[in-house]
Amino acid sequence: EDQVTQSPEALRLQEGESSSLNCSYTVSGLRGLFWYRQDPGKGPEFLFTLYSAGEEKEKERLKATLTKKESFLHITAPKPEDSATYLCAVQSRGGYQKVTFGIGTKLQVIP
Amino acid sequence: EAQVTQNPRYLITVTGKKLTVTCSQNMNHEYMSWYRQDPGLGLRQIYYSMNVEVTDKGDVPEGYKVSRKEKRNFPLILESPSPNQTSLYFCATRGPSMDQPQHFGDGTRLSIL
């Protein structure tokens, strides 16, 4: 059974204080790992897809990296508008149309 | 603009009173899915649909029904709601490949008393 564990559950940062969120996963053949951002009262919004170990993707202050066991979402010099819950999800290579989500990391960036 | 629209956004109702949550997408996608999100449990898939008239169970289908008569619509039906179905529900759609990201609606918060 595919599993996704995210840590920490919550993170409080000062504006400009860089940090990383962790997503550990076990999957029977990774087809893709997704990062989403979820704001209160909204649905998850897609950020990145990573497909293979060593891959990296960037968008503004966010950078996602992938190894064979985990993914990191690095946040450089965060701003208050980066406050949100960040979700990690995996899609396995099995034929089943299932994406397994982690519980998320709730990030608060304080001015 | 690509949109997934859910209605209602909020609903408080009572045990046993049938309800339907509608979902509509304007991306002409074949794949649609329903999730529920609960504290400490994350997003769990209820049902998904690969195309019109093709639906299948996800991880937590008990107590739910779906139908897919048109490509753009994928309603979630609770025939006899119970308090343990109080949750935040999301509809999602994605493109034809499994490794494409999903686009989510803004959610429906259901409270079953």
Side-chain angles (χ1 to χ4, degrees):
Chain A
E1 185 178 329
D2 300 343
Q3 287 189 328
V4 176
T5 303
Q6 291 187 247
S7 61
E9 289 188 11
L11 182 62
R12 198 174 184 199
L13 299 174
Q14 289 292 132
E15 183 172 2
E17 179 186 2
S18 301
S19 189
S20 297
L21 313 183
N22 177 263
C23 171
S24 297
Y25 65 91
T26 56
V27 64
S28 53
L30 181 69
R31 190 179 185 105
L33 184 142
F34 306 94
W35 282 99
Y36 291 86
R37 169 191 171 125
Q38 185 174 20
D39 293 297
K42 297 281 191 179
E45 178 186 341
F46 170 71
L47 293 172
F48 304 109
T49 308
L50 301 167
Y51 296 101
S52 58
E55 189 175 1
E56 298 182 351
K57 287 194 177 170
E58 286 188 67
K59 180 180 179 180
E60 296 180 356
R61 295 176 293 281
L62 300 177
K63 179 180 177 180
T65 62
L66 181 65
T67 72
K68 288 186 178 179
K69 293 183 179 180
E70 56 191 351
S71 177
F72 292 93
L73 185 65
H74 306 279
I75 304 176
T76 302
K79 297 182 178 181
E81 53 261 43
D82 295 322
S83 297
T85 296
Y86 291 85
L87 303 175
C88 174
V90 296
Q91 170 82 61
S92 71
R93 289 196 172 275
Y96 183 39
Q97 300 284 336
K98 178 184 173 181
V99 175
T100 302
F101 282 84
I103 294 171
T105 294
K106 186 174 183 179
L107 173 66
Q108 184 183 13
V109 182
I110 304 160
Chain B
E1 181 191 346
Q3 278 191 328
V4 179
T5 304
Q6 296 180 225
N7 280 296
R9 293 290 316 277
Y10 305 91
L11 179 63
I12 301 174
T13 188
V14 296
T15 300
K17 186 177 181 182
K18 181 179 178 180
L19 67 91
T20 300
V21 184
T22 64
C23 174
S24 180
Q25 51 102 356
N26 66 356
M27 289 166 267
N28 201 35
H29 286 167
E30 293 176 344
Y31 179 90
M32 297 184 74
S33 181
W34 275 103
Y35 292 86
R36 61 179 288 174
Q37 187 175 38
D38 301 288
L41 295 176
L43 280 159
R44 293 179 293 166
Q45 191 178 53
I46 304 170
Y47 270 94
Y48 65 93
S49 171
M50 296 295 294
N51 210 333
V52 175
E53 303 291 0
V54 180
T55 63
D56 208 346
K57 297 176 181 178
D59 292 323
V60 287
E62 295 78 20
Y64 304 95
K65 284 178 59 177
V66 292
S67 71
R68 188 86 183 275
K69 293 182 168 48
E70 307 166 279
K71 187 184 270 191
R72 65 180 291 124
N73 294 323
F74 189 41
L76 179 69
I77 303 155
L78 285 72
E79 298 233 330
S80 183
S82 62
N84 65 10
Q85 294 177 296
T86 292
S87 187
L88 181 57
Y89 291 85
F90 289 100
C91 179
T93 184
R94 65 154 167 78
S97 174
M98 273 197 281
D99 58 5
Q100 289 179 277
Q102 296 186 71
H103 300 271
F104 288 84
D106 280 340
T108 295
R109 185 166 292 282
L110 283 183
S111 294
I112 316 293
L113 305 177

